Amino acid sequence: MSPSEDTSTDTQSLTDGFHLVIDALKTNGIDTIYGVPGIPITDLGRFAQGAGMRVLSFRHEQHAGYAASIAGYLTKKPGVCLTVSAPGFLNGLTALANATTNCFPMILISGSSEREIVDLQQGDYEEMDQLAIAKPLCKAAYRILHAQDIGIGVARAIRAAVSGRPGGVYLDLPASLLGQVMDEMEGQKSIVKVIDPAPRMIPAPDAVDRAIDVLKNAERPLIILGKGAAYAQEDETVKAFVEKSGVPYLPMSMAKGLLPDTHPQSAGAARSLVLKEADVVMMVGARLNWLLSHGKGKAWGAPHSKKFIQVDIEAMEMDSNVEIAAPLVGDIGSCLSAMLDRMGDDWAKPPQAWTDAIDEKKNTNLEKMAGRLKSNANPMDYHGALGALREVIKDNQDVILVNEGANTLDFARSIIDIYKPRHRIDVGTWGIMGIGQGASVAAAVETGQQVLAIEGDSAFGFSGMEIETICRYNLPVCIVVFNNNGIYRGTDQNPSGGDDVATTVFVKNSRYDLMMQAFGGEGVTATNPDELSQMVRDAIASGKPTLVNAVIDEAAGTESGRIGNLNPQSVVSKNKASQ
Ligand code: ADP
Ligand code: TZD
Ligand code: MG
């Protein structure tokens, strides 16, 4: 007899699928759900809220999903996104795939339609074979059919999300599961508390020796810190290793702040030089993907004979793009502690000629930039506006920065110093637009800190409606929209001369600040750096949801920001242009 057929007792206390899912999550320390309600999960959200969980409803599942993934990144516990069947599930799926790509732990829990009807394709309400569709886009995908399996199903999802290389997990809950009834005591016994969900992974001693050997023999060593190192929350170990080694380091964008950007060993302002000239490069929780030109080519000073050390929890990451001379597979904390132990008291810091060359380049570049950051151009250019915001962050180092756009992203990344670990969240590995509001909600909810989101006007538009969510929960989020009338620039012309505006251009002089006012938040427009600075400082002081519409010169940006080289070139249109 299955539990759902058990109608034998009126007096016996019973539980059901809804409550078992909530118990399973709570038992494992998951206390927040991001989602959009509807059939068949409306009551699941309602009961979760009733049971003391924080349940944050969004206007669109994609942004609830981004919020969940950033919650996972910030807490090392899987962030949970809850969606309805088919369309809601699909809306959440982009975020699940993005979480997997970025190694963020997240669980997309979706209600689904009746299995019998879906499998016979008989046209159920919101019918879709969701498990099959989710599978290739995430780290693991599970479906639970029986109430007594909820405990183990949720446990599997949690362990899959956070163990080894973290990622996105899909958990399919058919509508009929949620209403299944079982004995309360039996139900409680079926809940699984996951012991040590992300076990440490100790590196092999000979791999540690090999890494030490390669690093010791370097003349021009470089460490690259990635967001895996920030995620690991081994901040003290990373700091101790970098400082003891004396090796200059380069932070990837979300690893900025792991050590303060003002740290003397930061080579951030001499990026081109160190990538070209280093002879040994030690990757720590960073991948040699497109963001690092795959470890090859001109940016790396090819042809070169650089040696790579790579610290990563995922063995298969090794040799993905270039040969790794010293692969060190394990968790960041265990690997760096093991290396620190082996370095001993007589560790020699890198040759001074190398660190002097870097310092010289840094100083030249920083001086060059300092002048431009004072720009008072009217309308504002990127340097003037970001120069002002750089000072705001310097004075408010607990503020978490969220950043998306093209020029708005690239300039902010290099101009704004970050002082604390996990205080910069951005478009990540895919360079995805639309994370702004979801990431801001998660950062505010999970940390209680003030958030400053700096977003291009296009980037903002992908999740603009979520400012209502920010107002509804009264979150300390200040959004600055860099309004240059379009994608990259607002100056493009329709090449046909027709009436439609160019594909990259928006309504000119849009008033994004008025959108915020519609929901009771503060909405203001800044036309110069002083105004911008004051408005953001006021927002931080008040903690109120605020949107600053920052008017940026529509001619100031460049195509695709700093990655214009990735655009394919058309030979035909060039010929046509010259005719
Ligand atoms: P970035 O974009 O900052 O360069 P990536 O997302 O490309 O960073 O790389 C992050 C890497 O960190 C991934 O290869 C992932 O396997 C690894 N990683 C994640 N968590 C840990 C951990 N706790 N210990 C070691 N490596 C980790
Ligand atoms: N869609 C998604 C989901 N991600 C993307 N990265 C893009 C489209 C393409 N894209 C970019 O790569 S940047 C960008 C788009 C549409 C917007 C750039 O405009 P912006 O920033 O207003 O946000 P700037 O300051 O005008 O460059
Ligand atoms: Mg723009």
Side-chain angles (χ1 to χ4, degrees), residues 510-574:
S510 293
R511 295 287 305 279
Y512 295 103
D513 49 322
L514 298 182
M515 288 175 67
M516 195 59 149
Q517 289 179 17
F519 305 114
E522 284 288 314
V524 284
T525 285
T527 56
N528 64 53
D530 287 343
E531 273 176 14
L532 177 57
S533 167
Q534 195 51 53
M535 286 166 178
V536 174
R537 284 176 200 272
D538 288 349
I540 293 172
S542 74
K544 274 206 222 145
T546 302
L547 190 149
V548 183
N549 177 46
V551 180
I552 303 288
D553 181 356
E554 63 173 8
T558 56
E559 176 103 355
S560 302
R562 275 191 213 148
I563 54 173
N565 60 310
L566 298 180
N567 283 307
Q569 299 292 318
S570 161
V571 178
V572 175
S573 68
K574 258 191 204 147

Coordinates of all heavy atoms in Angstrom, one line a residue, residues 510-574:
S510 N 15.5 58.7 -21.2 CA 14.5 58.0 -20.4 C 14.7 58.4 -19.0 O 15.8 58.6 -18.5 CB 14.7 56.5 -20.6 OG 14.4 56.1 -21.9
R511 N 13.6 58.4 -18.2 CA 13.6 58.7 -16.8 C 13.4 57.5 -16.0 O 12.3 57.2 -15.4 CB 12.5 59.8 -16.5 CG 12.8 61.1 -17.3 CD 13.9 61.9 -16.6 NE 13.7 62.1 -15.2 CZ 12.9 63.0 -14.7 NH1 12.3 63.9 -15.5 NH2 12.7 63.1 -13.4
Y512 N 14.5 56.7 -15.8 CA 14.4 55.4 -15.0 C 14.1 55.8 -13.6 O 13.5 54.9 -12.9 CB 15.7 54.7 -15.2 CG 16.0 54.2 -16.6 CD1 16.9 54.8 -17.4 CD2 15.3 53.1 -17.1 CE1 17.1 54.4 -18.7 CE2 15.4 52.7 -18.4 CZ 16.4 53.3 -19.2 OH 16.5 52.9 -20.5
D513 N 14.4 57.0 -13.1 CA 14.1 57.3 -11.8 C 12.6 57.4 -11.5 O 12.2 57.0 -10.4 CB 14.7 58.7 -11.4 CG 14.4 59.8 -12.5 OD1 14.4 59.4 -13.7 OD2 14.2 60.9 -12.2
L514 N 11.8 57.7 -12.5 CA 10.4 57.7 -12.3 C 9.8 56.3 -12.1 O 8.8 56.2 -11.4 CB 9.7 58.4 -13.5 CG 10.1 59.9 -13.7 CD1 9.3 60.5 -14.9 CD2 9.9 60.7 -12.5
M515 N 10.5 55.3 -12.7 CA 10.0 53.9 -12.4 C 10.1 53.6 -10.9 O 9.2 53.0 -10.4 CB 10.9 53.0 -13.2 CG 10.7 52.9 -14.7 SD 11.9 51.8 -15.5 CE 11.4 50.2 -14.9
M516 N 11.2 54.0 -10.3 CA 11.4 53.7 -8.9 C 10.3 54.5 -8.1 O 9.8 53.9 -7.1 CB 12.8 54.2 -8.5 CG 13.2 53.6 -7.1 SD 13.2 51.8 -7.2 CE 14.5 51.4 -6.0
Q517 N 10.0 55.7 -8.4 CA 9.0 56.5 -7.7 C 7.6 55.8 -7.8 O 6.9 55.9 -6.8 CB 8.9 57.9 -8.3 CG 10.1 58.7 -8.0 CD 10.0 60.1 -8.6 OE1 8.9 60.6 -9.0 NE2 11.1 60.8 -8.7
A518 N 7.4 55.1 -8.9 CA 6.1 54.4 -9.0 C 5.8 53.4 -7.9 O 4.7 53.1 -7.6 CB 6.0 53.7 -10.4
F519 N 6.9 52.9 -7.3 CA 6.7 51.8 -6.3 C 7.1 52.4 -4.9 O 7.2 51.6 -4.0 CB 7.6 50.6 -6.6 CG 7.3 50.1 -8.0 CD1 8.3 50.2 -9.0 CD2 6.1 49.5 -8.3 CE1 8.0 49.7 -10.3 CE2 5.8 49.1 -9.6 CZ 6.7 49.1 -10.6
G520 N 7.2 53.7 -4.8 CA 7.4 54.3 -3.5 C 8.8 54.4 -3.1 O 9.2 54.8 -2.0
G521 N 9.8 54.1 -4.0 CA 11.2 54.2 -3.7 C 11.6 55.7 -4.0 O 10.9 56.5 -4.5
E522 N 12.9 55.9 -3.7 CA 13.5 57.2 -4.1 C 14.0 57.2 -5.5 O 14.7 56.2 -5.9 CB 14.7 57.5 -3.2 CG 14.5 57.9 -1.8 CD 13.9 59.4 -1.8 OE1 14.5 60.3 -2.4 OE2 12.9 59.5 -1.0
G523 N 13.6 58.1 -6.4 CA 14.1 58.1 -7.7 C 14.6 59.5 -8.1 O 13.9 60.5 -7.9
V524 N 15.9 59.6 -8.5 CA 16.5 60.9 -8.7 C 17.4 60.8 -9.9 O 17.8 59.8 -10.4 CB 17.4 61.3 -7.5 CG1 16.5 61.8 -6.3 CG2 18.3 60.2 -7.0
T525 N 17.7 62.0 -10.5 CA 18.5 62.1 -11.7 C 19.8 62.8 -11.4 O 19.7 63.9 -10.7 CB 17.8 62.8 -12.9 OG1 16.8 61.8 -13.4 CG2 18.7 63.1 -14.0
A526 N 20.9 62.3 -11.8 CA 22.2 63.0 -11.5 C 22.8 63.4 -12.9 O 22.9 62.5 -13.8 CB 23.2 62.0 -10.8
T527 N 23.2 64.6 -13.0 CA 23.8 65.1 -14.2 C 25.3 65.4 -14.1 O 26.0 65.7 -15.1 CB 23.1 66.3 -14.7 OG1 23.1 67.3 -13.7 CG2 21.7 66.0 -15.1
N528 N 25.9 65.3 -12.9 CA 27.3 65.5 -12.7 C 27.8 64.7 -11.6 O 27.0 64.2 -10.7 CB 27.7 67.0 -12.6 CG 27.1 67.6 -11.3 OD1 27.3 67.1 -10.2 ND2 26.3 68.7 -11.5
P529 N 29.1 64.5 -11.5 CA 29.7 63.6 -10.5 C 29.4 64.0 -9.1 O 29.2 63.1 -8.2 CB 31.2 63.7 -10.8 CG 31.3 64.0 -12.2 CD 30.2 64.9 -12.5
D530 N 29.3 65.3 -8.8 CA 29.1 65.7 -7.4 C 27.6 65.3 -7.0 O 27.4 64.8 -5.9 CB 29.2 67.2 -7.2 CG 30.7 67.6 -7.3 OD1 31.5 66.7 -7.1 OD2 31.0 68.8 -7.5
E531 N 26.7 65.5 -7.9 CA 25.3 65.2 -7.6 C 25.2 63.6 -7.4 O 24.6 63.1 -6.5 CB 24.4 65.5 -8.8 CG 23.9 66.9 -8.8 CD 23.1 67.2 -10.1 OE1 22.7 66.2 -10.9 OE2 22.8 68.4 -10.4
L532 N 25.9 62.9 -8.3 CA 25.8 61.5 -8.3 C 26.4 61.0 -6.9 O 25.7 60.1 -6.2 CB 26.7 60.9 -9.4 CG 26.8 59.4 -9.5 CD1 25.4 58.7 -9.6 CD2 27.7 59.0 -10.7
S533 N 27.5 61.5 -6.5 CA 28.1 61.1 -5.3 C 27.2 61.4 -4.1 O 26.9 60.5 -3.2 CB 29.4 61.9 -5.1 OG 29.9 61.7 -3.8
Q534 N 26.6 62.6 -4.1 CA 25.7 63.0 -3.0 C 24.5 62.1 -2.9 O 24.1 61.6 -1.8 CB 25.3 64.5 -3.1 CG 24.8 65.0 -1.8 CD 25.6 64.7 -0.6 OE1 26.8 65.0 -0.6 NE2 25.1 64.1 0.5
M535 N 23.9 61.8 -4.1 CA 22.7 61.0 -4.1 C 22.9 59.6 -3.6 O 22.1 59.0 -2.9 CB 22.1 61.0 -5.5 CG 21.5 62.3 -5.9 SD 21.2 62.4 -7.7 CE 20.4 64.0 -7.8
V536 N 24.1 59.0 -4.0 CA 24.4 57.6 -3.5 C 24.7 57.6 -2.0 O 24.3 56.7 -1.3 CB 25.5 57.0 -4.4 CG1 25.9 55.7 -3.9 CG2 25.1 56.9 -5.8
R537 N 25.4 58.7 -1.6 CA 25.7 58.7 -0.2 C 24.4 58.9 0.7 O 24.3 58.2 1.7 CB 26.7 59.9 0.1 CG 28.1 59.6 -0.3 CD 29.0 60.8 -0.1 NE 30.2 60.7 -0.9 CZ 31.3 60.1 -0.5 NH1 31.4 59.6 0.7 NH2 32.4 60.0 -1.2
D538 N 23.5 59.7 0.1 CA 22.2 59.8 0.8 C 21.5 58.4 0.9 O 20.9 58.1 1.9 CB 21.3 60.8 0.1 CG 21.8 62.3 0.3 OD1 22.7 62.5 1.2 OD2 21.3 63.1 -0.4
A539 N 21.5 57.7 -0.2 CA 20.8 56.4 -0.3 C 21.5 55.5 0.7 O 20.7 54.7 1.4 CB 21.0 55.9 -1.7
I540 N 22.8 55.5 0.8 CA 23.4 54.6 1.8 C 23.1 55.0 3.2 O 22.8 54.1 4.0 CB 25.0 54.6 1.6 CG1 25.3 54.0 0.2 CG2 25.7 53.9 2.7 CD1 26.8 54.1 -0.2
A541 N 23.0 56.3 3.5 CA 22.7 56.8 4.8 C 21.2 56.4 5.2 O 21.0 56.0 6.3 CB 22.9 58.3 4.9
S542 N 20.3 56.4 4.2 CA 18.9 56.1 4.5 C 18.6 54.7 4.4 O 17.7 54.2 5.1 CB 18.0 56.9 3.5 OG 18.0 56.2 2.3
G543 N 19.4 53.9 3.6 CA 19.1 52.5 3.4 C 17.8 52.3 2.6 O 17.3 51.1 2.5
K544 N 17.3 53.3 2.0 CA 16.0 53.2 1.3 C 16.2 52.7 -0.1 O 17.2 53.1 -0.7 CB 15.3 54.5 1.2 CG 14.5 54.9 2.4 CD 13.4 55.9 1.9 CE 13.2 56.9 2.9 NZ 12.9 58.2 2.4
P545 N 15.3 51.9 -0.7 CA 15.4 51.6 -2.1 C 15.5 52.9 -2.9 O 14.7 53.8 -2.8 CB 14.1 50.9 -2.4 CG 13.6 50.4 -1.1 CD 14.1 51.3 -0.1
T546 N 16.6 53.0 -3.7 CA 16.8 54.2 -4.5 C 17.3 53.9 -5.9 O 18.0 52.9 -6.1 CB 17.9 55.0 -3.8 OG1 17.5 55.3 -2.4 CG2 18.2 56.3 -4.5
L547 N 16.8 54.7 -6.8 CA 17.4 54.6 -8.2 C 17.9 55.9 -8.7 O 17.1 56.9 -8.7 CB 16.3 54.0 -9.2 CG 16.9 53.7 -10.6 CD1 16.0 52.5 -11.2 CD2 17.0 54.8 -11.5
V548 N 19.2 56.0 -9.0 CA 19.7 57.2 -9.5 C 19.9 57.0 -11.0 O 20.6 56.1 -11.5 CB 21.1 57.5 -8.9 CG1 21.6 58.8 -9.4 CG2 21.0 57.5 -7.4
N549 N 19.2 57.9 -11.8 CA 19.3 57.9 -13.2 C 20.5 58.8 -13.5 O 20.5 60.0 -13.5 CB 18.0 58.5 -13.8 CG 18.0 58.6 -15.3 OD1 18.4 57.7 -16.0 ND2 17.6 59.7 -15.8
A550 N 21.7 58.1 -13.9 CA 22.9 58.9 -14.1 C 23.0 59.2 -15.6 O 23.2 58.2 -16.4 CB 24.1 58.1 -13.6
V551 N 23.0 60.4 -16.0 CA 23.0 60.8 -17.4 C 24.5 60.8 -17.9 O 25.3 61.5 -17.4 CB 22.4 62.2 -17.6 CG1 22.5 62.6 -19.1 CG2 21.0 62.3 -17.0
I552 N 24.7 59.8 -18.8 CA 26.1 59.6 -19.3 C 26.1 60.0 -20.8 O 25.1 59.8 -21.6 CB 26.4 58.1 -19.2 CG1 26.3 57.6 -17.8 CG2 27.8 57.8 -19.8 CD1 27.4 58.1 -16.8
D553 N 27.2 60.6 -21.2 CA 27.4 61.0 -22.6 C 27.1 59.8 -23.5 O 27.8 58.8 -23.4 CB 28.8 61.5 -22.8 CG 29.1 62.0 -24.2 OD1 28.2 61.9 -25.0 OD2 30.3 62.5 -24.4
E554 N 26.2 60.0 -24.5 CA 25.8 58.9 -25.3 C 26.9 58.5 -26.3 O 26.9 57.4 -26.9 CB 24.5 59.1 -26.0 CG 24.5 60.3 -27.0 CD 23.2 60.4 -27.8 OE1 22.2 59.6 -27.5 OE2 23.1 61.2 -28.8
A555 N 27.9 59.3 -26.4 CA 29.0 59.0 -27.3 C 30.2 58.5 -26.6 O 31.3 58.2 -27.2 CB 29.4 60.3 -28.1
A556 N 30.1 58.3 -25.3 CA 31.4 58.0 -24.5 C 31.8 56.5 -24.6 O 33.0 56.2 -24.5 CB 31.2 58.3 -23.1
G557 N 30.8 55.6 -24.9 CA 31.2 54.2 -24.8 C 31.7 53.6 -26.1 O 31.7 54.3 -27.1
T558 N 32.3 52.4 -26.0 CA 32.7 51.8 -27.3 C 32.0 50.4 -27.5 O 31.4 49.9 -26.5 CB 34.2 51.4 -27.2 OG1 34.5 50.6 -26.0 CG2 35.1 52.7 -27.1
E559 N 31.9 50.0 -28.7 CA 31.2 48.8 -29.0 C 31.7 47.6 -28.2 O 32.9 47.3 -28.1 CB 31.4 48.4 -30.5 CG 30.8 47.2 -31.0 CD 29.5 47.4 -31.8 OE1 29.0 48.6 -31.9 OE2 28.9 46.4 -32.3
S560 N 30.7 47.0 -27.4 CA 31.0 45.8 -26.6 C 32.0 46.1 -25.5 O 32.7 45.1 -25.0 CB 31.5 44.6 -27.4 OG 30.5 44.3 -28.4
G561 N 32.2 47.3 -25.1 CA 33.1 47.7 -24.1 C 34.5 47.2 -24.5 O 35.0 47.5 -25.5
R562 N 35.2 46.4 -23.6 CA 36.5 46.0 -23.9 C 36.6 44.7 -24.6 O 37.7 44.1 -24.8 CB 37.3 45.8 -22.6 CG 37.9 47.2 -22.2 CD 38.8 47.1 -21.1 NE 38.6 48.4 -20.4 CZ 38.8 48.5 -19.1 NH1 39.2 47.6 -18.4 NH2 38.6 49.7 -18.5
I563 N 35.5 44.1 -25.1 CA 35.6 42.8 -25.8 C 35.1 42.9 -27.2 O 34.6 41.9 -27.8 CB 34.9 41.7 -25.0 CG1 33.5 42.0 -24.7 CG2 35.7 41.3 -23.7 CD1 32.7 40.9 -24.1
G564 N 35.2 44.1 -27.8 CA 34.8 44.3 -29.1 C 35.5 43.4 -30.1 O 34.9 43.0 -31.2
N565 N 36.7 42.9 -29.8 CA 37.4 42.0 -30.6 C 36.7 40.7 -30.8 O 37.0 39.9 -31.8 CB 38.8 41.8 -30.1 CG 38.8 41.2 -28.7 OD1 38.1 41.7 -27.8 ND2 39.5 40.1 -28.5
L566 N 35.8 40.4 -29.9 CA 35.1 39.1 -30.1 C 33.9 39.1 -31.1 O 33.4 38.1 -31.5 CB 34.5 38.6 -28.7 CG 35.5 38.4 -27.6 CD1 34.8 37.9 -26.3 CD2 36.6 37.3 -28.0
N567 N 33.6 40.3 -31.6 CA 32.6 40.4 -32.6 C 33.1 39.9 -34.0 O 34.2 40.3 -34.4 CB 32.2 41.9 -32.8 CG 31.2 42.4 -31.7 OD1 30.2 41.7 -31.4 ND2 31.6 43.5 -31.1
P568 N 32.4 39.0 -34.6 CA 32.9 38.6 -36.0 C 32.8 39.7 -36.9 O 32.0 40.6 -36.8 CB 31.9 37.5 -36.3 CG 30.7 37.6 -35.4 CD 31.1 38.4 -34.2
Q569 N 33.7 39.7 -37.9 CA 33.8 40.8 -38.9 C 33.2 40.3 -40.2 O 33.4 39.2 -40.6 CB 35.2 41.2 -39.1 CG 36.0 41.7 -37.9 CD 35.4 43.0 -37.4 OE1 35.2 43.9 -38.2 NE2 35.3 43.1 -36.1
S570 N 32.4 41.2 -40.8 CA 31.8 40.9 -42.1 C 32.7 41.5 -43.2 O 32.9 42.7 -43.2 CB 30.4 41.4 -42.3 OG 30.1 41.5 -43.6
V571 N 33.2 40.6 -44.1 CA 33.9 41.1 -45.3 C 33.0 41.8 -46.2 O 33.3 42.9 -46.8 CB 34.6 39.9 -46.0 CG1 35.4 40.4 -47.2 CG2 35.5 39.2 -45.0
V572 N 31.8 41.3 -46.4 CA 30.9 41.8 -47.4 C 30.5 43.2 -47.0 O 30.6 44.1 -47.9 CB 29.6 40.9 -47.4 CG1 28.6 41.5 -48.3 CG2 30.0 39.5 -47.9
S573 N 30.1 43.5 -45.8 CA 29.7 44.8 -45.4 C 30.8 45.8 -45.5 O 30.6 47.0 -45.8 CB 29.0 44.9 -44.1 OG 29.9 44.7 -43.1
K574 N 32.0 45.3 -45.3 CA 33.2 46.3 -45.4 C 33.3 46.7 -46.9 O 33.5 47.8 -47.2 CB 34.5 45.6 -45.0 CG 34.9 46.0 -43.6 CD 36.3 45.5 -43.3 CE 36.5 45.4 -41.8 NZ 37.4 44.3 -41.4

